[in-house]
Short mmCIF file of all heavy atoms in Angstrom, two decimals:
data_model
loop_
_atom_site.label_atom_id
_atom_site.label_comp_id
_atom_site.label_asym_id
_atom_site.label_seq_id
_atom_site.Cartn_x
_atom_site.Cartn_y
_atom_site.Cartn_z
N VAL A 1092 -3.45 9.58 2.99
CA VAL A 1092 -3.51 8.32 2.26
C VAL A 1092 -2.11 7.71 2.25
O VAL A 1092 -1.17 8.32 1.73
CB VAL A 1092 -4.01 8.55 0.81
CG1 VAL A 1092 -3.90 7.26 -0.01
CG2 VAL A 1092 -5.44 9.07 0.84
N THR A 1093 -1.96 6.55 2.89
CA THR A 1093 -0.65 5.93 3.00
C THR A 1093 -0.79 4.41 3.10
O THR A 1093 -1.74 3.92 3.73
CB THR A 1093 0.11 6.46 4.26
OG1 THR A 1093 1.17 5.55 4.57
CG2 THR A 1093 -0.81 6.56 5.47
N PRO A 1094 0.15 3.66 2.49
CA PRO A 1094 0.08 2.19 2.60
C PRO A 1094 0.27 1.70 4.03
O PRO A 1094 0.01 0.53 4.32
CB PRO A 1094 1.21 1.70 1.69
CG PRO A 1094 2.06 2.87 1.40
CD PRO A 1094 1.25 4.11 1.62
N GLU A 1095 0.69 2.61 4.94
CA GLU A 1095 0.77 2.20 6.35
C GLU A 1095 -0.63 2.06 6.96
O GLU A 1095 -0.80 1.47 8.02
CB GLU A 1095 1.59 3.22 7.15
CG GLU A 1095 3.08 3.04 6.88
CD GLU A 1095 3.88 4.25 7.27
OE1 GLU A 1095 3.43 4.99 8.17
OE2 GLU A 1095 4.92 4.46 6.65
N VAL A 1096 -1.61 2.68 6.30
CA VAL A 1096 -3.03 2.50 6.68
C VAL A 1096 -3.75 2.08 5.39
O VAL A 1096 -4.29 2.93 4.67
CB VAL A 1096 -3.64 3.82 7.23
CG1 VAL A 1096 -5.08 3.57 7.68
CG2 VAL A 1096 -2.80 4.37 8.37
N PRO A 1097 -3.72 0.77 5.07
CA PRO A 1097 -4.21 0.34 3.75
C PRO A 1097 -5.60 0.90 3.38
O PRO A 1097 -5.82 1.29 2.23
CB PRO A 1097 -4.22 -1.18 3.86
CG PRO A 1097 -3.15 -1.48 4.86
CD PRO A 1097 -3.19 -0.36 5.86
N ALA A 1098 -6.52 0.97 4.35
CA ALA A 1098 -7.87 1.43 4.02
C ALA A 1098 -7.90 2.90 3.58
O ALA A 1098 -8.87 3.34 2.95
CB ALA A 1098 -8.80 1.25 5.22
N SER A 1099 -6.85 3.65 3.88
CA SER A 1099 -6.86 5.08 3.51
C SER A 1099 -6.93 5.28 2.01
O SER A 1099 -7.41 6.31 1.54
CB SER A 1099 -5.63 5.79 4.10
OG SER A 1099 -4.44 5.30 3.50
N ILE A 1100 -6.51 4.27 1.23
CA ILE A 1100 -6.56 4.39 -0.24
C ILE A 1100 -7.99 4.59 -0.73
O ILE A 1100 -8.22 5.15 -1.81
CB ILE A 1100 -5.94 3.13 -0.91
CG1 ILE A 1100 -5.71 3.32 -2.42
CG2 ILE A 1100 -6.80 1.90 -0.72
CD1 ILE A 1100 -4.57 4.18 -2.78
N LEU A 1101 -8.96 4.15 0.08
CA LEU A 1101 -10.37 4.27 -0.33
C LEU A 1101 -10.78 5.73 -0.51
O LEU A 1101 -11.75 6.03 -1.20
CB LEU A 1101 -11.29 3.58 0.67
CG LEU A 1101 -11.06 2.07 0.82
CD1 LEU A 1101 -11.93 1.52 1.94
CD2 LEU A 1101 -11.33 1.33 -0.49
N GLN A 1102 -10.04 6.65 0.08
CA GLN A 1102 -10.32 8.08 -0.13
C GLN A 1102 -10.22 8.44 -1.61
O GLN A 1102 -10.78 9.44 -2.05
CB GLN A 1102 -9.35 8.94 0.68
CG GLN A 1102 -9.50 8.82 2.18
CD GLN A 1102 -8.57 9.78 2.91
OE1 GLN A 1102 -8.40 10.92 2.54
NE2 GLN A 1102 -7.95 9.29 3.98
N PHE A 1103 -9.47 7.63 -2.37
CA PHE A 1103 -9.28 7.90 -3.80
C PHE A 1103 -10.24 7.12 -4.69
O PHE A 1103 -10.14 7.17 -5.90
CB PHE A 1103 -7.84 7.57 -4.22
CG PHE A 1103 -6.80 8.52 -3.70
CD1 PHE A 1103 -5.46 8.15 -3.67
CD2 PHE A 1103 -7.15 9.79 -3.25
CE1 PHE A 1103 -4.48 9.02 -3.19
CE2 PHE A 1103 -6.18 10.67 -2.77
CZ PHE A 1103 -4.85 10.29 -2.73
N HIS A 1104 -11.16 6.35 -4.08
CA HIS A 1104 -12.13 5.60 -4.89
C HIS A 1104 -13.35 6.50 -5.11
O HIS A 1104 -13.79 7.19 -4.19
CB HIS A 1104 -12.53 4.31 -4.17
CG HIS A 1104 -13.35 3.39 -5.02
ND1 HIS A 1104 -14.69 3.59 -5.27
CD2 HIS A 1104 -13.01 2.27 -5.71
CE1 HIS A 1104 -15.13 2.63 -6.07
NE2 HIS A 1104 -14.13 1.82 -6.34
N PRO A 1105 -13.93 6.47 -6.33
CA PRO A 1105 -15.04 7.40 -6.60
C PRO A 1105 -16.37 7.06 -5.95
O PRO A 1105 -17.27 7.89 -5.91
CB PRO A 1105 -15.18 7.35 -8.13
CG PRO A 1105 -14.55 6.07 -8.54
CD PRO A 1105 -13.48 5.76 -7.53
N ASP A 1106 -16.57 5.84 -5.44
CA ASP A 1106 -17.89 5.50 -4.90
C ASP A 1106 -17.80 4.58 -3.68
O ASP A 1106 -17.98 3.37 -3.77
CB ASP A 1106 -18.73 4.84 -6.01
CG ASP A 1106 -20.19 4.67 -5.62
OD1 ASP A 1106 -20.54 4.92 -4.44
OD2 ASP A 1106 -21.00 4.28 -6.48
N VAL A 1107 -17.48 5.18 -2.54
CA VAL A 1107 -17.37 4.42 -1.30
C VAL A 1107 -18.42 4.91 -0.30
O VAL A 1107 -18.55 6.12 -0.10
CB VAL A 1107 -15.98 4.59 -0.63
CG1 VAL A 1107 -15.93 3.83 0.70
CG2 VAL A 1107 -14.88 4.11 -1.54
N THR A 1108 -19.15 3.98 0.28
CA THR A 1108 -20.05 4.32 1.39
C THR A 1108 -19.54 3.61 2.64
O THR A 1108 -19.41 2.38 2.64
CB THR A 1108 -21.50 3.85 1.09
OG1 THR A 1108 -21.92 4.46 -0.13
CG2 THR A 1108 -22.45 4.26 2.22
N VAL A 1109 -19.24 4.39 3.67
CA VAL A 1109 -18.83 3.81 4.95
C VAL A 1109 -20.07 3.81 5.84
O VAL A 1109 -20.68 4.86 6.04
CB VAL A 1109 -17.72 4.65 5.61
CG1 VAL A 1109 -17.38 4.11 7.00
CG2 VAL A 1109 -16.47 4.67 4.73
#
Side-chain angles (χ1 to χ4, degrees):
V1092 173
T1093 162
E1095 284 161 27
V1096 183
S1099 66
I1100 191 75
L1101 298 175
Q1102 294 184 41
F1103 289 161
H1104 190 282
D1106 190 352
V1107 177
T1108 303
V1109 175

